[in-house]
Amino acid sequence: MIRTLAVLRRPAARSAVALLTLLTVLSPGLSRGLSVGPNAGAGDRSARDRVTEIWAVIQDRGDKTPRGLFDELGQIGTPQALHTLERSIDALRRVWSKKRAFAAMGHFMGDAELRPKALNTLEFHAKGSDEANALAASQALAAFGEVAYDSLYVVARTARDDRAKAFAVGGLAPELVKRNDAASLELVLDGWITPHSGSRDRAVDELWRFQ
């Protein structure tokens, strides 16, 4: 930080580039989304245009949408991209295609700002009454690991579809074993369904871990 402040004393350091550098050092979050130079905003416009293009394909092709487009939305990583993934759920019909959209939300698990919104969307659908959404969302959620434990716990306890509960229990099993209490054991005993939660061998192994 001393070097950064020293640089700012130079006349040339009054530029927007130097200011952006300081913001990045002091608080990376403050500089998020800022652009400098003659092409300022070009990247944002390009991302918005690409998201719009992908949404048009999803509307047109539905379940036949190439899988890579859902991943591309996740990689773009903007609020608009996440919103488009959420909108795509209603444009898709089959479990496997919905799962692709839900799975692409995994790209947002490393984003402190957008992760809660993505998890809320997954949790809402996983515990809901729409069978295809519940199965697709719970499978995707179970694959996200520790970052999704809180949502998985809610789904394991409250999902309407038993298979969605089973997917959640399978994904949550390491945490349930770690908790090692009566409520966690009950969730495993009541919610585990092979093969949705995992294999029989894995079920036996998880149960042996409770002491």
Side-chain angles (χ1 to χ4, degrees), residues 32 51 72-82 107-108 111 114:
R32 183 178 179 177
V51 170
E72 186 176 346
L73 285 173
Q75 291 164 0
I76 290 173
T78 61
Q80 182 196 11
L82 176 56
H107 290 284
F108 295 91
D111 188 316
L114 296 178

Side-chain angles (χ1 to χ4, degrees), residues 22-191:
L22 177 62
L23 287 172
T24 303
V25 172
L26 296 180
S27 181
L30 291 176
S31 62
R32 183 178 179 177
L34 295 178
S35 301
V36 296
N39 294 320
D44 290 341
R45 287 194 298 273
S46 177
R48 286 196 299 269
D49 291 345
R50 182 55 180 156
V51 170
T52 300
E53 291 173 359
I54 294 175
W55 173 237
V57 174
I58 294 173
Q59 287 182 298
D60 179 58
R61 302 192 62 181
D63 291 323
K64 295 182 180 180
T65 300
R67 180 174 188 170
L69 293 186
F70 297 111
D71 283 330
E72 186 176 346
L73 285 173
Q75 291 164 0
I76 290 173
T78 61
Q80 182 196 11
L82 176 56
H83 179 61
T84 300
L85 284 172
E86 293 172 331
R87 293 173 68 194
S88 72
I89 302 305
D90 291 332
L92 305 171
R93 294 292 178 264
R94 298 182 181 275
V95 173
W96 54 265
S97 58
K98 289 175 179 285
K99 184 181 176 182
R100 291 175 177 177
F102 284 125
M105 294 182 188
H107 290 284
F108 295 91
M109 293 302 104
D111 188 316
E113 294 181 15
L114 296 178
R115 179 175 63 242
K117 189 173 189 297
L119 287 173
N120 285 340
T121 297
L122 286 153
E123 180 183 316
F124 172 80
H125 287 291
K127 66 184 184 183
S129 58
D130 186 291
E131 179 181 317
N133 287 349
L135 294 178
S138 58
Q139 288 183 70
L141 198 58
F144 295 160
E146 185 174 353
V147 71
Y149 279 170
D150 288 345
S151 292
L152 285 169
Y153 191 76
V154 173
V155 175
R157 293 181 62 235
T158 65
R160 299 182 184 184
D161 190 293
D162 287 340
R163 290 166 298 174
K165 283 186 177 181
F167 283 122
V169 168
L172 188 60
E175 173 64 10
L176 295 176
V177 170
K178 184 178 178 180
R179 294 184 182 188
N180 197 25
D181 54 24
S184 297
L185 177 59
E186 184 177 357
L187 272 180
V188 175
L189 291 173
D190 291 345

